[in-house]
Amino acid sequence: GPGMGDQLTRRQGAVAFQNQVLRLPFVKAFSNTSNVPGRGYNFNTSGITRLAPRPEDDKKSYAVTLFDERYLATYGIALAAGRNFTPAMCEKSFGGDKLMLNEKAALAMGFASATAAVGQKVRWGSENESKRWEVVGVVKDYNHQSLRQPIEPVVYIPQNADGFYSLRLGEGSAQSHVAR
């Protein structure tokens, strides 16, 4: 029946498509995500805290976005500290046990700085049944929503998500290539 096999075929199709896209001379960077700037987030959640949270930390809400290791480069978004996701992290379901925060989320969780957050563990869920995640990097705050909205605290999960293909095109017109 449908299920794992279908998912695998879809993934192979996506990989084949990516390889074709990256061969195009005018495509400089490429990412597949379940989300793109300007379209909100995957979901919002609370209950993500440091291992030794302060009172009320578990009530704070975070926006959650899933993206692959090429997303930051595709959108020209910088890291404040730490490192980007790796392809291996993105292959695991829901990123395995690694995540990134934006600067706002790192401060909301009570880390002294972006640098201080890197390498630390956070937990998601109640103390006894929570999963622990390692913060591998902190993304510089950027406006994911409209410029009129304040930047929210965001948690990023590594994932080869599908839904959107984002391309960054090089100098010159892509139209001459696309028109053929």
Side-chain angles (χ1 to χ4, degrees):
M4 205 53 201
D6 289 356
Q7 224 173 347
L8 209 61
T9 327
R10 251 200 18 237
R11 181 85 199 106
Q12 285 162 343
V15 169
F17 174 72
Q18 286 169 41
N19 292 337
Q20 290 298 316
V21 165
L22 288 168
R23 283 198 194 102
L24 297 170
F26 54 91
V27 173
K28 293 294 170 238
F30 171 85
S31 170
N32 59 327
T33 63
S34 56
N35 195 286
V36 289
R39 282 191 65 107
Y41 299 95
N42 287 93
F43 57 93
N44 284 70
T45 189
S46 58
I48 305 176
T49 67
R50 289 184 305 170
L51 296 187
R54 300 162 302 188
E56 306 297 305
D57 271 0
D58 59 333
K59 310 259 191 316
K60 293 182 179 172
S61 179
Y62 296 91
V64 178
T65 291
L66 290 75
F67 62 58
D68 67 10
E69 76 280 3
R70 297 180 305 267
Y71 181 89
L72 297 178
T74 300
Y75 282 99
I77 297 165
L79 281 173
R83 62 192 168 95
N84 189 16
F85 295 143
T86 64
M89 287 174 202
C90 297
E91 284 298 331
K92 295 196 172 104
S93 169
F94 232 61
D97 60 354
K98 309 280 191 258
L99 51 71
M100 284 197 276
L101 307 171
N102 70 350
E103 294 169 296
K104 233 174 169 160
L107 294 176
M109 284 180 198
F111 293 112
S113 65
T115 311
V118 175
Q120 297 298 315
K121 294 270 202 309
V122 299
R123 70 168 185 242
W124 191 337
S126 66
E127 193 162 358
N128 42 6
E129 51 185 284
S130 64
K131 181 172 168 179
R132 283 167 173 49
W133 306 67
E134 182 191 344
V135 179
V136 296
V138 177
V139 175
K140 271 195 181 301
D141 287 340
Y142 70 95
N143 279 90
H144 186 85
Q145 308 274 56
S146 107
L147 296 176
R148 290 188 292 278
Q149 287 174 278
I151 294 171
E152 295 178 60
V154 187
V155 173
Y156 305 98
I157 307 288
Q159 191 75 79
N160 282 316
D162 47 18
F164 294 98
Y165 291 106
S166 297
L167 307 177
R168 188 147 59 89
L169 305 179
E171 298 302 306
S173 167
Q175 250 162 350
S176 58
H177 298 278
V178 174
R180 289 189 189 130

